[in-house]
Amino acid sequence: MAIHERSLVEPERILRKERLVIDGIDVSGDWNLIILPRVINDYDLDFAKEIVNSPDGKTINQCYQCSYCTASCPVHNYWDERYNPRHFIHLARLGLIDELQKRADVMWRCVSCHKCTHRCPKGVLVEEVLKVILRTMAKRGLIEEYPSKKFDKFFTEQVLEYGRIEDGELLFGWIEKQGYKVVKDPILRKPIPFIGETPEWLKQLTMKPIKSMNIGFLILNAKHMLFHPRTKNWNKFKHVLRKVMEEEGALAH
Amino acid sequence: MGVIGKRVAYYPGCSLEGAARAYDVSTRIVARELGLELDYLEDYNCCGAMESKNVTFMGTMLLNARNMSLARKQGHDVIVAPCNGCSFSLQRAEYFLETDKSVFERVNALLREGGVDPLDKIPHTYHILEWFYHEAGPQKVKEKTKRPLRGLKVANYYGCLYTRPHFYARTYAHAGGQDEDARPRKRDTADDDEHPYYMNALLEAAGATSVNFEPMHTQCCGGPHSLSDEMVSEKFVMMILQTAKRNGADIIATECPLCHASLEMYRHRLMMKGVPDVDVPAAYFTQLLGLAFGYSANDVKLKDNLSDPLPVLKRLGLA
């Protein structure tokens, strides 16, 4: 017997027997499959309230669970069936924190392609809502640090510091955060691309403009790596920005 | 035609002043050739892209409101951004500032506090492709073409955020939703939401042939996760490149520096792994238009493309 939306049921709750005899009656065949009931400990209704109260999460209650978002989602279709936006919204509205936590390893995988938001017939900003769910979970300490959040914070810190980002520093900084040993020059503390443990593909890609003698490109990017491009008149604005982000708890831990 | 304005504020974004220099240079060339004027937005800041918005809501509103305020200061009602991420962020801010009064008031108060002029009016943001299509159009491109891209088979890759979501990109009028005011209005100039065609039209006017690229033309390249979630991005890029190759494309035309970088980076990594049918190079659509307008490969900085489209273009006698 097929199970509808099997990815929503944990494998250990599915019992399948080759031969099953109950009270002396052989019920093998169509009845050999049992889904064990799950235990729900608590509903946390404040969780949904917190989401509704944020400006980007207030559309969550318009959802009528049609699953158009899940049908559109490339992560669900091409990567992992357990990534199911409709189900996450359902769980968040009910306040089933335990169930959300069980899916913490896939919940961050949204690639922000906005197919869900675009196609939702009820006007739910699905992508935004999912990010608010994640943000709320992180704020309550319900989910561990996940890769995309690390990157988001790393990116945002650069924006906050300089007003602009720079590709080289972003790339090498991220490589370093992932545990590669990036060698830096002793004076300006900037990464040197060719020595150290940078991954092979990155080495080869940085070699390309050198091999093709693309001098202008090299000079521009070297200059940007050495002297990070900055927005002028940024300092006063930076303080306001930092204050706002601290209020939202964005800079914590 | 001619509804957006010939002279607009140009928000290049961080990427175009660094690794995606070629897109900036070629965009200026194409705009000049088509008789359009880009007014560089002085002293802009990063839009927060797809990353900051996951960390802070009000922060991204502020970042984008500052850019809008700068555009107003330079006397513009329209901002044009060549990057999908930048135009998305600005349009997202536009949506929330227009539909949520409390956000608008808070942002204005904070702008004043930060020493930036508050917004008297919210400027509209367009993607540069939309602007080219509506202010110049295929007819003008045809007139200006000196060296048609004859024989070049192009897979037009639009990426996610050019037409999506309709709330921000305003690609269609949505009927649902409980809040009457929150319903987005369709913009007259907007591209088709599921089957965008502006880039096809412009490049076909320049003599190129578009290959069938649906539904990968708006498939995600991994986007904000291209560095943090490598396995998923790799798979998505593989699907895009293989579809292009198997449909006979010589080159992929891109219109976003992030998609472009992601495609080139993972193309290289997939080729190192020996995955078949992924060796299609990528070039910005403005680079191809620049070539058609008679500029040399050096003028449009084709050397900057790490996927190296030069051999393909040379074989067809286009560069």
Side-chain angles (χ1 to χ4, degrees):
Chain A
M1 193 170 68
I3 304 175
H4 179 59
E5 285 200 283
R6 186 173 195 138
S7 57
L8 303 184
V9 187
E10 295 88 27
E12 59 269 19
R13 286 204 291 120
I14 300 172
L15 277 188
R16 189 194 290 277
K17 298 229 161 118
E18 275 306 308
R19 281 189 63 78
L20 188 61
V21 181
I22 297 174
D23 291 345
I25 301 165
D26 188 348
V27 291
S28 312
D30 266 6
W31 300 98
N32 65 343
L33 187 129
I34 296 165
I35 299 174
L36 296 178
R38 66 181 162 175
V39 181
I40 289 166
N41 296 319
D42 202 9
Y43 294 92
D44 186 348
L45 296 175
D46 290 340
F47 189 77
K49 269 182 207 150
E50 203 172 327
I51 291 165
V52 173
N53 283 338
S54 67
D56 41 350
K58 70 179 174 190
T59 51
I60 187 172
N61 280 342
Q62 292 171 19
C63 174
Y64 62 9
Q65 295 283 306
C66 70
S67 209
Y68 208 158
C69 45
T70 304
S72 305
C73 180
V75 180
H76 176 84
N77 288 316
Y78 302 130
W79 188 254
D80 192 344
E81 252 193 359
R82 288 173 61 231
Y83 187 86
N84 191 332
R86 173 197 70 75
H87 195 51
F88 298 155
I89 290 177
H90 178 65
L91 295 176
R93 282 172 75 188
L94 286 180
L96 289 177
I97 307 291
D98 295 359
E99 294 289 315
L100 277 176
Q101 271 184 304
K102 276 182 202 161
R103 290 157 178 84
D105 57 323
V106 286
M107 277 195 71
W108 59 273
R109 281 240 143 94
C110 167
V111 285
S112 297
C113 76
H114 283 84
K115 276 186 178 163
C116 45
T117 310
H118 182 75
R119 291 172 181 168
C120 177
K122 287 289 283 172
V124 182
L125 301 176
V126 184
E127 192 263 1
E128 310 269 356
V129 166
L130 291 172
K131 301 288 185 190
V132 178
I133 294 175
L134 265 179
R135 211 159 67 200
T136 317
M137 283 176 78
K139 208 185 276 176
R140 294 182 171 202
L142 298 170
I143 186 166
E144 278 173 38
E145 194 87 336
Y146 43 93
S148 78
K149 190 183 172 201
K150 269 188 223 161
F151 185 72
D152 293 343
K153 277 174 80 175
F154 178 59
F155 186 98
T156 310
E157 274 157 17
Q158 273 213 18
V159 176
L160 192 60
E161 183 58 37
Y162 301 104
R164 286 191 202 173
I165 54 149
E166 199 272 309
D167 301 324
E169 191 155 325
L170 201 65
L171 193 55
F172 283 102
W174 178 247
I175 294 287
E176 193 179 9
K177 273 201 171 238
Q178 284 194 310
Y180 288 100
K181 236 192 211 132
V182 174
V183 178
K184 293 179 174 180
D185 75 279
I187 306 156
L188 288 162
R189 310 288 307 146
K190 300 290 176 181
I192 305 167
F194 311 107
I195 32 180
E197 282 177 13
T198 38
E200 190 56 32
W201 61 267
L202 186 57
K203 264 185 208 166
Q204 287 187 16
L205 275 184
T206 27
M207 275 309 286
K208 276 199 175 183
I210 297 171
K211 271 187 197 148
S212 64
M213 299 284 284
N214 196 346
I215 309 287
F217 183 80
L218 288 171
I219 290 176
L220 181 78
N221 282 296
K223 196 181 97 190
H224 279 180
M225 268 184 98
L226 291 176
F227 308 103
H228 202 296
R230 283 165 188 271
T231 304
K232 284 170 266 158
N233 310 321
W234 183 247
N235 271 344
K236 198 174 170 193
F237 192 75
K238 184 164 109 182
H239 287 301
V240 178
L241 203 57
R242 192 183 289 277
K243 191 190 81 185
V244 169
M245 283 166 68
E246 269 165 10
E247 266 171 36
E248 288 188 345
L251 297 172
H253 64 87
Chain B
M1 307 243 161
V3 279
I4 303 173
K6 297 255 184 243
R7 190 172 179 277
V8 295
Y10 174 53
Y11 176 81
C14 313
S15 192
L16 265 76
E17 304 215 56
R21 169 183 75 145
Y23 194 18
D24 184 44
V25 170
S26 55
T27 298
R28 284 166 194 272
I29 285 176
V30 172
R32 195 167 60 231
E33 280 290 313
L34 295 176
L36 305 171
E37 203 182 327
L38 294 165
D39 189 13
Y40 181 81
L41 198 59
E42 292 291 340
D43 198 29
Y44 67 86
N45 56 269
C46 175
C47 64
M50 307 306 298
E51 281 83 4
S52 299
K53 78 182 212 351
N54 301 338
V55 183
T56 159
F57 174 77
M58 202 43 94
T60 41
M61 288 296 125
L62 263 184
L63 284 170
N64 289 295
R66 183 177 179 274
N67 289 329
M68 289 179 180
S69 167
L70 295 177
R72 289 297 299 148
K73 206 174 172 187
Q74 291 186 20
H76 290 290
D77 284 340
V78 172
I79 305 173
V80 154
C83 167
N84 277 357
C86 300
S87 67
F88 166 84
S89 290
L90 284 157
Q91 284 169 345
R92 178 175 180 264
E94 192 183 316
Y95 172 79
F96 280 108
L97 290 173
E98 272 182 2
T99 54
D100 202 328
K101 237 194 159 68
S102 62
V103 172
F104 183 73
E105 276 158 15
R106 177 100 203 277
V107 162
N108 260 353
L110 288 166
L111 281 181
R112 217 172 280 131
E113 202 183 319
V116 185
D117 298 344
L119 289 166
D120 53 341
K121 192 179 158 201
I122 303 162
H124 298 297
T125 306
Y126 295 82
H127 192 279
I128 204 146
L129 184 53
E130 202 174 323
W131 184 57
F132 280 156
Y133 187 86
H134 276 279
E135 287 303 322
Q139 195 54 41
K140 187 88 185 255
V141 170
K142 206 174 230 167
E143 283 165 24
K144 287 281 171 187
T145 300
K146 295 193 185 89
R147 185 171 54 184
L149 304 168
R150 211 159 282 140
L152 186 69
K153 288 193 209 117
V154 187
N156 297 285
Y157 181 66
Y158 291 87
C160 299
L161 303 171
Y162 168 61
T163 55
R164 284 197 301 262
H166 62 82
F167 289 92
Y168 311 153
R170 307 257 157 95
T171 40
Y172 73 81
H174 184 67
Q178 287 168 349
D179 192 356
E180 190 86 21
D181 296 333
R183 286 183 191 173
R185 302 163 304 284
K186 185 185 186 303
R187 204 165 48 205
D188 296 334
T189 56
D191 206 339
D192 192 289
D193 64 322
E194 296 280 0
H195 311 280
Y197 62 92
Y198 285 1
M199 190 157 49
N200 297 41
L202 292 182
L203 288 176
E204 276 165 23
T209 320
S210 313
V211 301
N212 181 17
F213 198 35
E214 291 196 15
M216 289 298 153
H217 60 341
T218 56
Q219 181 58 271
C220 182
C221 64
H225 284 192
S226 48
L227 288 176
S228 54
D229 194 357
E230 301 186 347
M231 291 185 302
V232 172
S233 309
E234 197 171 271
K235 178 157 188 198
F236 286 0
V237 172
M238 186 186 82
M239 280 164 27
I240 293 164
L241 292 175
Q242 287 188 338
T243 311
K245 181 79 182 175
R246 287 169 186 169
N247 287 349
D250 296 321
I251 203 164
I252 295 186
T254 55
E255 42 108 306
C256 166
L258 303 178
C259 302
H260 187 88
S262 186
L263 287 184
E264 288 193 323
M265 190 168 95
Y266 282 102
R267 174 185 179 271
H268 186 78
R269 292 173 68 167
L270 288 163
M271 281 170 78
M272 273 172 68
K273 284 188 178 174
V275 177
D277 294 349
V278 291
D279 57 333
V280 204
Y284 297 107
F285 80 103
T286 46
Q287 285 182 310
L288 297 177
L289 285 179
L291 286 177
F293 293 165
Y295 287 84
S296 71
N298 209 13
D299 290 337
V300 296
K301 310 276 181 212
L302 268 180
K303 261 190 185 176
D304 282 16
N305 298 21
L306 298 175
S307 55
D308 201 13
L310 258 177
V312 174
L313 293 166
K314 273 202 177 119
R315 198 184 69 221
L316 293 162
L318 300 171

